[in-house]
Amino acid sequence: MAVQRAQADVFRPYGRKELAALLRRSSLTEQYRREAQAVAEVLPFRTNSYVVDHLIDWSAVPDDPMFRLTFPQPDMLPLDDRLRVAGLLDASASRALLGEAVRGIRSRLNPHPAGQLERNVPTAGRQGQSGEQGERGIPGIQHKYRETVLFFPRRGQTCHAYCTYCFRWAQFVGDTDLKFAGDVEPLVRYLREHTEVTDVLVTGGDPLVMSAGLLARCVEPLLDGGLEHVSTIRLGTKSLSYWPHRFLTDPDSEELLALFRRIVAAGRHLVVMAHYSHPRELSTDVALEAVRRVRETGATVRVQAPVIRGVNDEAGLWAELWSSAVRLGMVPYYMFVERDTGPQDYFAVPLVRAWEIFRDSAAQVSGLGRTARGPVMSADEGKVCVDGVLNLGDDEVFVLRYLQARRPSWVGRPFLARFDPRATWFSQLAPVSGVPDSSPWARLPGGLTPQGAGAGR
Ligand SMILES: *Cc1c(COP(=O)(O)O)cnc(C)c1O
Ligand code: SF4
């Protein structure tokens, strides 16, 4: 299909300055618009013409899931906070006064969730326990799991639109500076010495906001001699959803696809880790064509997203997402639990609810859709999957399992936690008393009850 480049295909980002005009597309109350504007002073807001014109159903706003996905909502902040900011805006308060109020509010939103600051910013120097000493002081690299290194290229630290739930929100408002991002030369030096690494995951932000030329400078050095152990290159991106034209009509779309083909031709497994939050993101012709073009290069596409209240907290939606993905030749991968940062009261789903959604979705799709795993929490020590809830005598317990761990020996071993219907994150869970084998608890930093101390592993 020859794709013509029309006006509508030119990337047009919208931010806080355009918010008032965008909100007039729908019959929202004056109060709603004023408070949403206040929220946009505190949390990042960025969307684009494609999301606004083709993904959001404006007749269903404010409940529309795609609207909730990218637009600031009043209830993302406590009432007091948003009224204070709205008041300052109404009074045309000075930037200094406004900035002071905004900083105070941000600091109460857990801007740097557990381990993120220390462990995702290698320059801060704190290390995991798996011998990844070499990462110390190398900006742009995180090496948490033995086989996989994350690479945050300096120029890929933004996105075509921002998700309201993004755990990198502090970075997008300029609160965390970008010193953790880096260049490819130190990465290559690191990888030459770390032959245990099989996967490099290029991530952000969204690395596909970079031009094809810049991306090539980040990725092609990984194809060099001496790095054959890096058999898989993954690109973490939401551009298939937020800006599918990236693969169709951007000035460098063909160059981008040619880069994908070169990676595949070099014998590497290229995986696009595609963030899709809702089946509607796979409903437009351009979205489908983008998937087809990426697959045609020989790349594999894997599909993942967090469960978010009011966006995708329904089993039917995940079943539809996974079966659409399979039909299009993509592979369902992770259903995440969103991290405990930002407006978490706004988006958080109880773990037990996330598990029910996962279970009921899996039940509705064929085995090929059940390659998805979850719900998964990316916690400090590893990726913890909620496998379910069991009756244990008179008690109910969560059955959990590490899918990934800083200590590889923890992977795949089930363990238990006390059932808590309100818990939304790992840190809120506690060991089960009287059960000797609740193993990883005993070794978690912060010294939770040494329940499993006898179950030495
Ligand atoms: C999820 C994740 C990875 C990749 O893990 P896989 O299970 O191989 O997809 C690597 N590093 C970090 C920090 C992660 O959170
Ligand atoms: S696409 Fe990913 S990095 Fe970008 S805002 Fe959404 S969750 Fe955050």
Side-chain angles (χ1 to χ4, degrees), residues 384-414:
V384 179
C385 185
V386 181
D387 278 338
V389 178
L390 269 186
N391 280 314
L392 200 73
D394 293 337
D395 290 331
E396 280 186 305
V397 296
F398 277 119
V399 181
L400 307 165
R401 179 171 51 118
Y402 275 100
L403 297 180
Q404 272 291 9
R406 288 184 191 270
R407 297 187 174 196
S409 65
W410 284 7
V411 172
R413 295 179 191 274

Side-chain angles (χ1 to χ4, degrees), residues 6 16 21 46 92 95 140 150 177 260 267 286:
R16 198 168 64 205
R46 178 177 164 93
S92 305
R95 289 314 293 180
L150 305 192
D177 72 31
F260 285 14
V286 276

Side-chain angles (χ1 to χ4, degrees), residues 11 13-14 44-49 51-52 55 69-70 158-164 166 172 205-206 209 238-239 241-243 275:
F11 183 69
Y14 299 133
F45 168 55
R46 178 177 164 93
T47 188
N48 68 60
S49 44
V51 173
V52 163
L55 293 186
L69 181 63
T70 66
T158 180
C159 304
H160 290 102
Y162 292 150
C163 309
T164 43
C166 183
F172 298 141
D206 189 330
V209 299
K238 201 166 179 34
S239 51
S241 158
Y242 280 162
W243 187 242
H275 177 181

Side-chain angles (χ1 to χ4, degrees), residues 120 122 135 138-143 149-152 180 186-187 190:
N120 276 8
E135 90 178 83
I138 305 178
I141 300 175
Q142 186 198 348
H143 190 183
V149 163
L150 305 192
F151 174 46
F152 299 84
F180 70 85
L187 171 69
Y190 182 79

Side-chain angles (χ1 to χ4, degrees), residues 34 41 93 108 118 149 161 187 211 241 266 296 299 337 366 388 409:
R34 180 170 169 263
E41 292 289 332
R108 292 196 296 278
E118 296 84 353
V149 163
L187 171 69
S211 68
S241 158
E296 206 176 57
V337 177
S366 88
S409 65

Side-chain angles (χ1 to χ4, degrees), residues 30-59:
E30 176 55 33
Q31 163 100 345
Y32 189 101
R33 288 200 288 252
R34 180 170 169 263
E35 292 182 18
Q37 195 77 46
V39 169
E41 292 289 332
V42 179
L43 293 164
F45 168 55
R46 178 177 164 93
T47 188
N48 68 60
S49 44
Y50 170 76
V51 173
V52 163
D53 294 332
H54 298 284
L55 293 186
I56 292 173
D57 174 358
W58 287 92
S59 70

